[in-house]
Amino acid sequence: MKALINYFNIFYKWIGAKLFIFVFLVLSTTIIESLGFTIALPILEYDSNTDEISKYSIFIYNLLESINIEVSILSLVLFVIFIFILKAIGRYTQEAINIKILYKLLYDLRISLIERYRKMNYSYYINTEIGYFNNLITTEIATTIAAFKKYVSILVKIISVIVYLSFAFLFSWEISLMAVCTIIIIYFL
Protein backbone atom coordinates (compact mmCIF):
# COMPACT_ATOMS: atom_id res chain seq x y z
CA MET A 1 0.00 0.00 0.00
CA LYS A 2 2.91 2.29 0.78
CA ALA A 3 4.25 1.78 -2.76
CA LEU A 4 0.87 2.75 -4.28
CA ILE A 5 0.85 6.00 -2.32
CA ASN A 6 4.49 6.66 -3.21
CA TYR A 7 3.81 6.17 -6.94
CA PHE A 8 0.66 8.27 -6.64
CA ASN A 9 2.78 11.13 -5.29
CA ILE A 10 5.34 10.71 -8.08
CA PHE A 11 2.72 10.70 -10.83
CA TYR A 12 0.81 13.52 -9.14
CA LYS A 13 3.89 15.74 -9.45
CA TRP A 14 3.82 15.26 -13.20
CA ILE A 15 0.09 15.03 -13.87
CA GLY A 16 -1.51 17.16 -11.17
CA ALA A 17 -5.22 17.32 -10.34
CA LYS A 18 -6.15 15.33 -13.45
CA LEU A 19 -5.14 12.23 -11.53
CA PHE A 20 -7.87 12.94 -8.96
CA ILE A 21 -10.40 13.52 -11.75
CA PHE A 22 -9.40 10.18 -13.23
CA VAL A 23 -9.80 8.39 -9.87
CA PHE A 24 -13.23 10.00 -9.42
CA LEU A 25 -14.29 8.86 -12.90
CA VAL A 26 -13.11 5.31 -12.21
CA LEU A 27 -15.02 5.29 -8.93
CA SER A 28 -18.25 6.67 -10.40
CA THR A 29 -18.10 4.39 -13.45
CA THR A 30 -17.54 1.35 -11.25
CA ILE A 31 -20.47 2.30 -9.03
CA ILE A 32 -22.69 2.68 -12.09
CA GLU A 33 -21.43 -0.66 -13.40
CA SER A 34 -22.21 -2.32 -10.07
CA LEU A 35 -25.67 -0.81 -10.15
CA GLY A 36 -26.09 -2.27 -13.64
CA PHE A 37 -25.10 -5.73 -12.41
CA THR A 38 -27.42 -5.63 -9.44
CA ILE A 39 -30.41 -4.19 -11.29
CA ALA A 40 -31.31 -7.70 -12.45
CA LEU A 41 -32.59 -8.47 -8.94
CA PRO A 42 -35.52 -6.00 -9.07
CA ILE A 43 -36.45 -7.37 -12.49
CA LEU A 44 -36.42 -10.95 -11.20
CA GLU A 45 -38.43 -10.01 -8.11
CA TYR A 46 -40.95 -7.84 -9.96
CA ASP A 47 -44.02 -10.07 -9.64
CA SER A 48 -42.96 -11.74 -6.37
CA ASN A 49 -44.84 -11.70 -3.12
CA THR A 50 -44.19 -8.46 -1.19
CA ASP A 51 -42.76 -10.45 1.75
CA GLU A 52 -40.10 -11.99 -0.51
CA ILE A 53 -38.86 -8.78 -2.16
CA SER A 54 -35.41 -7.60 -1.09
CA LYS A 55 -34.70 -4.17 0.36
CA TYR A 56 -32.65 -3.35 -2.73
CA SER A 57 -35.57 -4.06 -5.05
CA ILE A 58 -37.84 -1.92 -2.87
CA PHE A 59 -35.22 0.86 -3.04
CA ILE A 60 -35.16 0.68 -6.86
CA TYR A 61 -38.97 0.61 -7.05
CA ASN A 62 -39.17 3.65 -4.75
CA LEU A 63 -36.49 5.40 -6.79
CA LEU A 64 -38.48 4.93 -9.98
CA GLU A 65 -41.69 6.06 -8.32
CA SER A 66 -39.98 9.14 -6.86
CA ILE A 67 -39.17 10.32 -10.39
CA ASN A 68 -42.77 9.61 -11.47
CA ILE A 69 -42.08 6.43 -13.40
CA GLU A 70 -44.53 3.61 -12.92
CA VAL A 71 -42.78 0.39 -11.90
CA SER A 72 -43.16 -2.27 -14.58
CA ILE A 73 -40.98 -4.74 -16.41
CA LEU A 74 -40.62 -2.22 -19.24
CA SER A 75 -39.57 0.62 -16.92
CA LEU A 76 -37.07 -1.66 -15.17
CA VAL A 77 -35.56 -2.79 -18.47
CA LEU A 78 -35.39 0.81 -19.69
CA PHE A 79 -33.71 1.71 -16.40
CA VAL A 80 -31.13 -1.04 -17.04
CA ILE A 81 -30.52 0.33 -20.53
CA PHE A 82 -30.13 3.83 -19.09
CA ILE A 83 -27.65 2.57 -16.49
CA PHE A 84 -25.55 0.80 -19.14
CA ILE A 85 -25.58 3.88 -21.39
CA LEU A 86 -24.34 5.93 -18.42
CA LYS A 87 -21.68 3.28 -17.82
CA ALA A 88 -20.56 3.42 -21.46
CA ILE A 89 -20.33 7.21 -21.36
CA GLY A 90 -18.36 7.00 -18.11
CA ARG A 91 -15.96 4.38 -19.49
CA TYR A 92 -15.45 6.38 -22.69
CA THR A 93 -14.72 9.54 -20.69
CA GLN A 94 -12.42 7.59 -18.38
CA GLU A 95 -10.42 6.18 -21.31
CA ALA A 96 -10.32 9.57 -23.08
CA ILE A 97 -8.94 11.25 -19.96
CA ASN A 98 -6.51 8.37 -19.43
CA ILE A 99 -5.15 8.77 -22.97
CA LYS A 100 -4.97 12.56 -22.62
CA ILE A 101 -3.06 12.19 -19.34
CA LEU A 102 -0.78 9.56 -20.86
CA TYR A 103 0.22 11.62 -23.88
CA LYS A 104 0.58 14.79 -21.81
CA LEU A 105 2.90 12.88 -19.47
CA LEU A 106 4.88 11.60 -22.46
CA TYR A 107 5.15 15.12 -23.87
CA ASP A 108 6.13 16.65 -20.53
CA LEU A 109 8.79 14.00 -19.87
CA ARG A 110 10.37 14.45 -23.29
CA ILE A 111 10.30 18.26 -23.11
CA SER A 112 11.79 18.15 -19.62
CA LEU A 113 14.56 15.86 -20.79
CA ILE A 114 15.30 18.02 -23.82
CA GLU A 115 15.42 21.10 -21.60
CA ARG A 116 17.92 19.32 -19.36
CA TYR A 117 19.97 18.39 -22.43
CA ARG A 118 19.97 22.04 -23.44
CA LYS A 119 21.22 23.14 -20.00
CA MET A 120 23.84 20.37 -19.84
CA ASN A 121 27.51 21.21 -19.66
CA TYR A 122 29.02 20.72 -23.11
CA SER A 123 32.04 18.82 -21.79
CA TYR A 124 29.73 16.26 -20.12
CA TYR A 125 27.85 15.89 -23.39
CA ILE A 126 31.05 15.28 -25.35
CA ASN A 127 32.44 12.76 -22.84
CA THR A 128 29.24 10.68 -22.67
CA GLU A 129 28.26 8.19 -25.34
CA ILE A 130 25.42 9.32 -27.60
CA GLY A 131 23.67 5.97 -27.04
CA TYR A 132 23.18 6.90 -23.39
CA PHE A 133 21.23 10.02 -24.33
CA ASN A 134 19.21 8.20 -26.98
CA ASN A 135 18.39 5.50 -24.44
CA LEU A 136 17.12 8.13 -21.99
CA ILE A 137 14.80 9.80 -24.45
CA THR A 138 13.40 6.60 -26.00
CA THR A 139 13.68 3.60 -23.70
CA GLU A 140 13.52 5.20 -20.26
CA ILE A 141 10.59 7.44 -21.09
CA ALA A 142 8.78 4.48 -22.64
CA THR A 143 9.45 2.52 -19.43
CA THR A 144 8.02 5.37 -17.36
CA ILE A 145 4.90 5.47 -19.55
CA ALA A 146 4.53 1.68 -19.24
CA ALA A 147 4.84 2.02 -15.45
CA PHE A 148 2.12 4.67 -15.45
CA LYS A 149 -0.16 2.42 -17.54
CA LYS A 150 0.41 -0.45 -15.11
CA TYR A 151 -0.21 1.85 -12.15
CA VAL A 152 -3.50 3.05 -13.67
CA SER A 153 -4.52 -0.56 -14.31
CA ILE A 154 -3.80 -1.51 -10.68
CA LEU A 155 -5.64 1.57 -9.43
CA VAL A 156 -8.71 0.73 -11.53
CA LYS A 157 -8.70 -2.87 -10.29
CA ILE A 158 -8.35 -1.86 -6.63
CA ILE A 159 -11.23 0.62 -6.90
CA SER A 160 -13.35 -1.97 -8.73
CA VAL A 161 -12.74 -4.62 -6.08
CA ILE A 162 -13.60 -2.20 -3.27
CA VAL A 163 -16.83 -1.08 -4.95
CA TYR A 164 -17.86 -4.64 -5.91
CA LEU A 165 -17.22 -5.88 -2.37
CA SER A 166 -19.20 -2.94 -0.98
CA PHE A 167 -22.17 -3.85 -3.16
CA ALA A 168 -21.78 -7.51 -2.18
CA PHE A 169 -21.82 -6.54 1.52
CA LEU A 170 -25.07 -4.64 0.90
CA PHE A 171 -26.73 -7.81 -0.33
CA SER A 172 -25.29 -10.42 2.01
CA TRP A 173 -22.57 -9.49 4.43
CA GLU A 174 -22.18 -13.09 5.64
CA ILE A 175 -21.39 -14.55 2.21
CA SER A 176 -19.24 -11.54 1.33
CA LEU A 177 -17.23 -11.88 4.52
CA MET A 178 -16.76 -15.60 3.84
CA ALA A 179 -15.59 -14.81 0.29
CA VAL A 180 -13.11 -12.18 1.51
CA CYS A 181 -11.71 -14.56 4.13
CA THR A 182 -11.38 -17.31 1.52
CA ILE A 183 -9.58 -14.94 -0.85
CA ILE A 184 -7.18 -13.90 1.89
CA ILE A 185 -6.47 -17.54 2.84
CA ILE A 186 -5.90 -18.53 -0.79
CA TYR A 187 -3.66 -15.50 -1.35
CA PHE A 188 -1.35 -16.42 1.49
CA LEU A 189 -1.11 -20.14 0.68
Side-chain angles (χ1 to χ4, degrees), residues 78-97:
L78 289 175
F79 188 62
V80 169
I81 292 170
F82 176 73
I83 294 286
F84 279 102
I85 288 172
L86 273 180
K87 180 193 123 189
I89 292 169
R91 275 288 175 227
Y92 176 79
T93 307
Q94 174 185 324
E95 288 301 319
I97 288 177

mmCIF file of all heavy atoms in Angstrom, residues 78-97:
data_model
loop_
_atom_site.group_PDB
_atom_site.id
_atom_site.type_symbol
_atom_site.label_atom_id
_atom_site.label_comp_id
_atom_site.label_asym_id
_atom_site.label_seq_id
_atom_site.Cartn_x
_atom_site.Cartn_y
_atom_site.Cartn_z
ATOM 1 N N LEU A 78 -35.856 -0.488 -19.201
ATOM 2 C CA LEU A 78 -35.387 0.810 -19.687
ATOM 3 C C LEU A 78 -34.406 1.433 -18.698
ATOM 4 O O LEU A 78 -33.438 2.087 -19.108
ATOM 5 C CB LEU A 78 -36.559 1.751 -19.945
ATOM 6 C CG LEU A 78 -37.428 1.395 -21.153
ATOM 7 C CD1 LEU A 78 -38.633 2.325 -21.247
ATOM 8 C CD2 LEU A 78 -36.627 1.432 -22.436
ATOM 9 N N PHE A 79 -34.640 1.218 -17.416
ATOM 10 C CA PHE A 79 -33.709 1.705 -16.398
ATOM 11 C C PHE A 79 -32.353 1.013 -16.541
ATOM 12 O O PHE A 79 -31.303 1.654 -16.423
ATOM 13 C CB PHE A 79 -34.305 1.478 -14.998
ATOM 14 C CG PHE A 79 -33.520 2.100 -13.891
ATOM 15 C CD1 PHE A 79 -33.333 3.476 -13.833
ATOM 16 C CD2 PHE A 79 -32.967 1.319 -12.894
ATOM 17 C CE1 PHE A 79 -32.599 4.053 -12.798
ATOM 18 C CE2 PHE A 79 -32.236 1.887 -11.859
ATOM 19 C CZ PHE A 79 -32.055 3.259 -11.814
ATOM 20 N N VAL A 80 -32.372 -0.293 -16.812
ATOM 21 C CA VAL A 80 -31.127 -1.039 -17.042
ATOM 22 C C VAL A 80 -30.391 -0.477 -18.254
ATOM 23 O O VAL A 80 -29.174 -0.262 -18.219
ATOM 24 C CB VAL A 80 -31.412 -2.547 -17.232
ATOM 25 C CG1 VAL A 80 -30.189 -3.278 -17.735
ATOM 26 C CG2 VAL A 80 -31.901 -3.168 -15.950
ATOM 27 N N ILE A 81 -31.131 -0.237 -19.322
ATOM 28 C CA ILE A 81 -30.517 0.333 -20.530
ATOM 29 C C ILE A 81 -29.909 1.696 -20.226
ATOM 30 O O ILE A 81 -28.787 1.996 -20.642
ATOM 31 C CB ILE A 81 -31.554 0.409 -21.676
ATOM 32 C CG1 ILE A 81 -31.927 -1.006 -22.128
ATOM 33 C CG2 ILE A 81 -31.036 1.232 -22.844
ATOM 34 C CD1 ILE A 81 -33.109 -1.066 -23.070
ATOM 35 N N PHE A 82 -30.635 2.518 -19.477
ATOM 36 C CA PHE A 82 -30.134 3.835 -19.092
ATOM 37 C C PHE A 82 -28.851 3.722 -18.276
ATOM 38 O O PHE A 82 -27.882 4.454 -18.501
ATOM 39 C CB PHE A 82 -31.213 4.593 -18.315
ATOM 40 C CG PHE A 82 -30.762 5.914 -17.788
ATOM 41 C CD1 PHE A 82 -30.574 6.995 -18.636
ATOM 42 C CD2 PHE A 82 -30.510 6.085 -16.432
ATOM 43 C CE1 PHE A 82 -30.143 8.223 -18.151
ATOM 44 C CE2 PHE A 82 -30.087 7.307 -15.932
ATOM 45 C CZ PHE A 82 -29.900 8.370 -16.801
ATOM 46 N N ILE A 83 -28.834 2.783 -17.338
ATOM 47 C CA ILE A 83 -27.651 2.574 -16.488
ATOM 48 C C ILE A 83 -26.450 2.173 -17.350
ATOM 49 O O ILE A 83 -25.347 2.692 -17.183
ATOM 50 C CB ILE A 83 -27.924 1.496 -15.413
ATOM 51 C CG1 ILE A 83 -28.966 1.958 -14.419
ATOM 52 C CG2 ILE A 83 -26.646 1.057 -14.710
ATOM 53 C CD1 ILE A 83 -28.498 2.974 -13.429
ATOM 54 N N PHE A 84 -26.669 1.254 -18.309
ATOM 55 C CA PHE A 84 -25.554 0.801 -19.135
ATOM 56 C C PHE A 84 -25.098 1.871 -20.123
ATOM 57 O O PHE A 84 -23.911 1.931 -20.464
ATOM 58 C CB PHE A 84 -25.891 -0.516 -19.832
ATOM 59 C CG PHE A 84 -25.694 -1.700 -18.934
ATOM 60 C CD1 PHE A 84 -26.762 -2.336 -18.332
ATOM 61 C CD2 PHE A 84 -24.416 -2.166 -18.653
ATOM 62 C CE1 PHE A 84 -26.573 -3.415 -17.481
ATOM 63 C CE2 PHE A 84 -24.210 -3.236 -17.803
ATOM 64 C CZ PHE A 84 -25.286 -3.860 -17.221
ATOM 65 N N ILE A 85 -25.992 2.742 -20.562
ATOM 66 C CA ILE A 85 -25.582 3.876 -21.391
ATOM 67 C C ILE A 85 -24.725 4.836 -20.556
ATOM 68 O O ILE A 85 -23.692 5.316 -21.031
ATOM 69 C CB ILE A 85 -26.807 4.590 -22.007
ATOM 70 C CG1 ILE A 85 -27.419 3.715 -23.096
ATOM 71 C CG2 ILE A 85 -26.428 5.949 -22.575
ATOM 72 C CD1 ILE A 85 -28.734 4.222 -23.644
ATOM 73 N N LEU A 86 -25.151 5.095 -19.325
ATOM 74 C CA LEU A 86 -24.339 5.925 -18.422
ATOM 75 C C LEU A 86 -22.957 5.304 -18.194
ATOM 76 O O LEU A 86 -21.939 6.007 -18.186
ATOM 77 C CB LEU A 86 -25.032 6.090 -17.076
ATOM 78 C CG LEU A 86 -26.031 7.213 -16.921
ATOM 79 C CD1 LEU A 86 -26.616 7.204 -15.514
ATOM 80 C CD2 LEU A 86 -25.417 8.554 -17.221
ATOM 81 N N LYS A 87 -22.940 3.991 -18.022
ATOM 82 C CA LYS A 87 -21.680 3.284 -17.818
ATOM 83 C C LYS A 87 -20.779 3.431 -19.042
ATOM 84 O O LYS A 87 -19.578 3.692 -18.916
ATOM 85 C CB LYS A 87 -21.933 1.812 -17.539
ATOM 86 C CG LYS A 87 -20.666 1.015 -17.309
ATOM 87 C CD LYS A 87 -20.940 -0.463 -17.358
ATOM 88 C CE LYS A 87 -20.038 -0.995 -18.406
ATOM 89 N NZ LYS A 87 -20.129 -2.276 -18.855
ATOM 90 N N ALA A 88 -21.354 3.292 -20.234
ATOM 91 C CA ALA A 88 -20.564 3.418 -21.461
ATOM 92 C C ALA A 88 -19.993 4.832 -21.608
ATOM 93 O O ALA A 88 -18.824 5.002 -21.976
ATOM 94 C CB ALA A 88 -21.424 3.067 -22.666
ATOM 95 N N ILE A 89 -20.813 5.828 -21.304
ATOM 96 C CA ILE A 89 -20.333 7.214 -21.362
ATOM 97 C C ILE A 89 -19.210 7.431 -20.345
ATOM 98 O O ILE A 89 -18.189 8.055 -20.653
ATOM 99 C CB ILE A 89 -21.496 8.205 -21.141
ATOM 100 C CG1 ILE A 89 -22.460 8.160 -22.323
ATOM 101 C CG2 ILE A 89 -20.981 9.617 -20.911
ATOM 102 C CD1 ILE A 89 -23.766 8.891 -22.090
ATOM 103 N N GLY A 90 -19.392 6.888 -19.145
ATOM 104 C CA GLY A 90 -18.360 7.001 -18.115
ATOM 105 C C GLY A 90 -17.071 6.315 -18.510
ATOM 106 O O GLY A 90 -15.979 6.865 -18.341
ATOM 107 N N ARG A 91 -17.158 5.107 -19.061
ATOM 108 C CA ARG A 91 -15.958 4.377 -19.494
ATOM 109 C C ARG A 91 -15.243 5.117 -20.627
ATOM 110 O O ARG A 91 -14.020 5.205 -20.652
ATOM 111 C CB ARG A 91 -16.321 2.989 -20.006
ATOM 112 C CG ARG A 91 -16.436 1.937 -19.026
ATOM 113 C CD ARG A 91 -15.130 1.466 -18.429
ATOM 114 N NE ARG A 91 -15.519 0.512 -17.420
ATOM 115 C CZ ARG A 91 -15.058 0.472 -16.204
ATOM 116 N NH1 ARG A 91 -14.118 1.281 -15.848
ATOM 117 N NH2 ARG A 91 -15.499 -0.389 -15.349
ATOM 118 N N TYR A 92 -16.039 5.629 -21.577
ATOM 119 C CA TYR A 92 -15.451 6.378 -22.693
ATOM 120 C C TYR A 92 -14.702 7.614 -22.179
ATOM 121 O O TYR A 92 -13.570 7.873 -22.573
ATOM 122 C CB TYR A 92 -16.536 6.784 -23.697
ATOM 123 C CG TYR A 92 -16.006 7.630 -24.820
ATOM 124 C CD1 TYR A 92 -15.325 7.047 -25.880
ATOM 125 C CD2 TYR A 92 -16.155 9.014 -24.806
ATOM 126 C CE1 TYR A 92 -14.814 7.817 -26.903
ATOM 127 C CE2 TYR A 92 -15.646 9.796 -25.828
ATOM 128 C CZ TYR A 92 -14.977 9.196 -26.876
ATOM 129 O OH TYR A 92 -14.469 9.958 -27.878
ATOM 130 N N THR A 93 -15.350 8.345 -21.268
ATOM 131 C CA THR A 93 -14.724 9.538 -20.695
ATOM 132 C C THR A 93 -13.476 9.151 -19.909
ATOM 133 O O THR A 93 -12.443 9.825 -19.995
ATOM 134 C CB THR A 93 -15.723 10.277 -19.794
ATOM 135 O OG1 THR A 93 -16.920 10.520 -20.526
ATOM 136 C CG2 THR A 93 -15.161 11.586 -19.293
ATOM 137 N N GLN A 94 -13.562 8.069 -19.166
ATOM 138 C CA GLN A 94 -12.421 7.585 -18.383
ATOM 139 C C GLN A 94 -11.252 7.263 -19.307
ATOM 140 O O GLN A 94 -10.115 7.669 -19.037
ATOM 141 C CB GLN A 94 -12.858 6.346 -17.610
ATOM 142 C CG GLN A 94 -11.780 5.631 -16.861
ATOM 143 C CD GLN A 94 -12.300 4.347 -16.237
ATOM 144 O OE1 GLN A 94 -13.426 4.275 -15.783
ATOM 145 N NE2 GLN A 94 -11.483 3.333 -16.249
ATOM 146 N N GLU A 95 -11.503 6.537 -20.383
ATOM 147 C CA GLU A 95 -10.425 6.184 -21.315
ATOM 148 C C GLU A 95 -9.877 7.408 -22.034
ATOM 149 O O GLU A 95 -8.674 7.512 -22.268
ATOM 150 C CB GLU A 95 -10.910 5.139 -22.325
ATOM 151 C CG GLU A 95 -11.111 3.764 -21.726
ATOM 152 C CD GLU A 95 -9.834 3.198 -21.109
ATOM 153 O OE1 GLU A 95 -8.744 3.346 -21.693
ATOM 154 O OE2 GLU A 95 -9.928 2.609 -20.015
ATOM 155 N N ALA A 96 -10.766 8.343 -22.398
ATOM 156 C CA ALA A 96 -10.315 9.566 -23.077
ATOM 157 C C ALA A 96 -9.401 10.374 -22.162
ATOM 158 O O ALA A 96 -8.346 10.862 -22.599
ATOM 159 C CB ALA A 96 -11.518 10.399 -23.515
ATOM 160 N N ILE A 97 -9.778 10.501 -20.907
ATOM 161 C CA ILE A 97 -8.939 11.245 -19.958
ATOM 162 C C ILE A 97 -7.633 10.495 -19.700
ATOM 163 O O ILE A 97 -6.569 11.106 -19.610
ATOM 164 C CB ILE A 97 -9.712 11.534 -18.655
ATOM 165 C CG1 ILE A 97 -10.759 12.602 -18.932
ATOM 166 C CG2 ILE A 97 -8.785 11.956 -17.529
ATOM 167 C CD1 ILE A 97 -11.642 12.939 -17.772
#
